[in-house]
Amino acid sequence: MRSIMELAWFEDFLEIAATRNFSTAAASRNISQPAFSRRIKALEEWVGAELIDRSTYPVHLTSAGNIFVPRCQEMLRDMYRLRTDCRNAAGASSRLLTFAALHTLAIYFFPKWISQPELPNAPVRSSMHTGDFLECVDHLSSGKCDFAITYDHPDGPPVLEGGPFESLQIGRDRLVLVSGVDQKGAPLFNVDVPEGTRIPYLAYSWSDGYLGKLISLIQSRWRRPLNLSIVYQSSLAEGLKQMAIAGQGVVWLPQICVQKAIAQGELVQIGGQQMSLEIEIRIFRRVGARSRDGEALWKYLSRTAEQASGRNLTDPTLAMR
């Protein structure tokens, strides 16, 4: 029997208790399914009882597992609360708030959002890690940041659903299909072309699978399959935008990233509303108290949720609804 227990095992257990599916839980925890299964087994060895009944699909909690769930939740809350108390006692309450965000949101959304004078303790002392979707999830899951800011959509892949995480919507954006323009300002490429016509396509690389899946959702609504021929791939929306401006192909990009280029006549939206999709901007954190500044920010965002209901959140200075 193992004599050393890891806090991450408890968070893994709450994830599988919420999802009842090992592959889904492993994806949410951003680890491989075999590694996730080993960690659950290690927890069971430490406890000395089976917590998961693996003989059914979806899996179920054993009697011991049902007893363990509320105690596990309570223990995690107490541990994070204890850490907060210790940090506050050591003067860590005014430390930097750490964020992880998609490159696009870090560039075009975060600066205005974090500069709101209404935010508690403004100006907020913060640091930012930028990355693709999986990197942001990993940073939050592994405790490397206080908050993660990503895109989300109800019909898209689940983002940190279940487990020790909570989220708030803090804005809206829209994925739009754009093309570069010719000397007369007309689009170089379009989707309303004869069936089978090759359309050069600027795609997100495999590492940013989340936006790619949302784009597949958009394409499924078009009246016929598009003959998109990938000519360039990147995980950086900004890089894809510059390739589109250079006339290399069409690309789906967040509106917040291209609105200036469209206004300046460098890009044009094509395909209309059918080729676009409204997406949420959400901020995630682990459940449990953190630093005083972090708690103050979260309470402010929660408190303004009802006040912002029904307002236009495309403006990144508006709080969540």
Side-chain angles (χ1 to χ4, degrees):
M1 184 178 295
R2 295 174 181 264
S3 59
I4 299 176
M5 182 275 296
E6 296 184 22
L7 189 64
W9 296 351
F10 286 79
E11 296 171 334
D12 293 340
F13 172 72
L14 290 180
E15 191 67 44
I16 189 65
T19 64
R20 305 302 172 96
N21 183 288
F22 272 86
S23 61
T24 301
S28 296
R29 295 289 287 156
N30 198 33
I31 60 174
S32 68
Q33 183 174 336
F36 182 85
S37 298
R38 287 194 297 270
R39 280 160 49 157
I40 294 295
K41 190 64 178 177
L43 176 62
E44 291 176 319
E45 291 176 3
W46 182 84
V47 172
E50 287 193 355
L51 304 173
I52 305 295
D53 180 359
R54 299 166 175 80
S55 66
T56 62
Y57 183 83
V59 298
H60 287 79
L61 298 180
T62 64
S63 297
N66 283 313
I67 293 173
F68 195 65
V69 166
R71 302 290 179 86
C72 181
Q73 294 170 328
E74 182 180 359
M75 189 280 299
L76 281 175
R77 286 193 295 267
D78 289 343
M79 288 297 294
Y80 283 122
R81 189 176 297 114
L82 174 62
R83 184 179 70 171
T84 299
D85 292 343
C86 292
R87 286 180 170 178
N88 290 341
S93 61
S94 61
R95 67 183 178 89
L96 291 174
L97 293 182
T98 54
F99 295 83
L102 303 178
H103 296 91
T104 300
L105 294 175
I107 295 171
Y108 294 101
F109 176 81
F110 184 80
K112 291 183 179 179
W113 178 78
I114 201 67
S115 299
Q116 299 175 66
E118 298 85 3
L119 291 180
N121 304 310
V124 177
R125 299 177 66 244
S126 61
S127 67
M128 171 63 70
H129 170 82
T130 59
D132 59 29
F133 174 75
L134 291 179
E135 285 181 295
C136 293
V137 171
D138 176 64
H139 252 62
L140 185 62
S141 298
S142 59
K144 295 178 182 177
C145 67
D146 298 310
F147 304 100
I149 301 177
T150 71
Y151 287 119
D152 192 22
H153 188 276
D155 296 328
V159 181
L160 295 172
E161 290 186 358
F165 302 101
E166 56 186 340
S167 71
L168 298 169
Q169 184 181 343
I170 56 174
R172 287 197 193 109
D173 202 352
R174 180 176 288 276
L175 277 174
V176 295
L177 184 61
V178 297
S179 165
V181 299
D182 60 21
Q183 293 181 346
K184 297 181 179 179
L188 292 170
F189 310 101
N190 216 322
V191 292
D192 197 9
V193 292
E195 187 172 356
T197 302
R198 174 184 173 274
I199 305 172
Y201 179 46
L202 310 171
Y204 289 94
S205 61
W206 65 269
S207 62
D208 198 354
Y210 189 81
L211 286 181
K213 286 175 178 164
L214 293 184
I215 289 169
S216 296
L217 179 63
I218 297 173
Q219 292 184 51
S220 68
R221 304 182 313 191
W222 193 244
R223 56 182 177 270
R224 63 174 184 271
L226 295 174
N227 185 18
L228 298 175
S229 176
I230 296 177
V231 296
Y232 180 74
Q233 287 181 286
S234 175
S235 62
L236 292 176
E238 186 65 23
L240 294 171
K241 181 181 79 172
Q242 294 303 324
M243 288 292 285
I245 291 174
Q248 294 299 304
V250 303
V251 59
W252 272 277
L253 289 168
Q255 192 171 40
I256 197 173
C257 171
V258 297
Q259 55 190 4
K260 184 176 180 180
I262 291 176
Q264 293 177 342
E266 297 175 312
L267 293 172
V268 62
Q269 182 177 346
I270 58 176
Q273 291 296 101
Q274 189 178 5
M275 285 283 98
S276 69
L277 183 71
E278 186 175 275
I279 50 180
E280 298 174 355
I281 302 173
R282 300 192 75 88
I283 184 169
F284 291 81
R285 75 162 184 173
R286 285 179 173 274
V287 174
R290 293 303 184 99
S291 68
R292 291 177 184 173
D293 288 352
E295 280 301 301
L297 174 61
W298 196 261
K299 287 179 180 178
Y300 167 79
L301 295 176
S302 301
R303 187 171 60 251
T304 55
E306 186 174 349
Q307 299 172 2
S309 179
R311 294 161 65 189
N312 180 9
L313 297 182
T314 303
D315 183 347
T317 64
L318 296 180
M320 63 152 288
R321 69 172 184 177

